[in-house]
Amino acid sequence: MTDQVILVVYDIKDNRLRFKVSNFLKKTGYVRVQKSVFVSPYNPAVLSDTEAGLRRITRENEGYDIQIYVFSQASYENRIVISKGYYIEEEEEFLV
């Protein structure tokens, strides 16, 4: 087990771009922890592929902010979660 995690956080105005980003992260093995937050165990190749993929997906767009954090598994496990009666609804696919 790795001792670090990768956390991807984003704000994206465009619905189609937001869907592409979340779909890419899910396919890359990330797990959604909030609507615009995904987490994955740290792996240098995953981090590199994540950055490259997100840059590729967003290169023709604007109106977005994506941040990638790498920090210890212990810090992630020590987070404080305040939640009651909330669940994450998966995004609906867009018909193109």
Side-chain angles (χ1 to χ4, degrees), residues 6 8 30 41-53 68-70:
I6 305 169
V8 179
Y30 284 80
Y42 176 79
N43 175 304
V46 171
L47 179 60
S48 179
D49 291 347
T50 300
E51 181 183 2
I68 302 172
Y69 299 89
V70 176

Side-chain angles (χ1 to χ4, degrees), residues 1-8 30-31 33 37-44 46-47 50 68-79:
M1 183 159 123
T2 181
D3 61 345
Q4 291 183 303
V5 296
I6 305 169
L7 191 76
V8 179
Y30 284 80
V31 174
V33 293
V37 182
F38 285 79
V39 68
S40 172
Y42 176 79
N43 175 304
V46 171
L47 179 60
T50 300
I68 302 172
Y69 299 89
V70 176
F71 54 92
S72 72
Q73 179 74 30
S75 291
Y76 182 75
E77 291 172 359
N78 286 328
R79 73 193 186 282

Side-chain angles (χ1 to χ4, degrees), residues 25-90:
L25 292 169
K26 286 187 270 188
K27 286 181 180 177
T28 308
Y30 284 80
V31 174
R32 185 189 301 266
V33 293
Q34 287 191 340
K35 289 190 178 195
S36 298
V37 182
F38 285 79
V39 68
S40 172
Y42 176 79
N43 175 304
V46 171
L47 179 60
S48 179
D49 291 347
T50 300
E51 181 183 2
L54 292 172
R55 288 187 186 280
R56 179 181 44 78
I57 291 168
T58 58
R59 75 173 166 244
E60 302 290 326
N61 296 277
E62 52 184 68
Y64 62 86
D65 179 62
I66 301 173
Q67 298 183 24
I68 302 172
Y69 299 89
V70 176
F71 54 92
S72 72
Q73 179 74 30
S75 291
Y76 182 75
E77 291 172 359
N78 286 328
R79 73 193 186 282
I80 297 170
V81 178
I82 302 170
S83 179
K84 182 179 179 183
Y86 179 82
Y87 65 96
I88 300 168
E89 296 176 21
E90 289 298 319

Side-chain angles (χ1 to χ4, degrees), residues 10-28 32 35-36 38 54 57-58 61 63-64 66 89-96:
Y10 58 83
D11 282 325
I12 300 173
K13 291 180 182 181
D14 181 75
N15 289 335
R16 289 184 190 272
L17 178 59
R18 190 170 51 252
F19 177 74
K20 286 180 184 179
V21 167
S22 67
N23 207 32
F24 167 77
L25 292 169
K26 286 187 270 188
K27 286 181 180 177
T28 308
R32 185 189 301 266
K35 289 190 178 195
S36 298
F38 285 79
L54 292 172
I57 291 168
T58 58
N61 296 277
Y64 62 86
I66 301 173
E89 296 176 21
E90 289 298 319
E91 296 170 327
E92 295 180 8
E93 292 188 46
F94 289 97
L95 299 177
V96 180

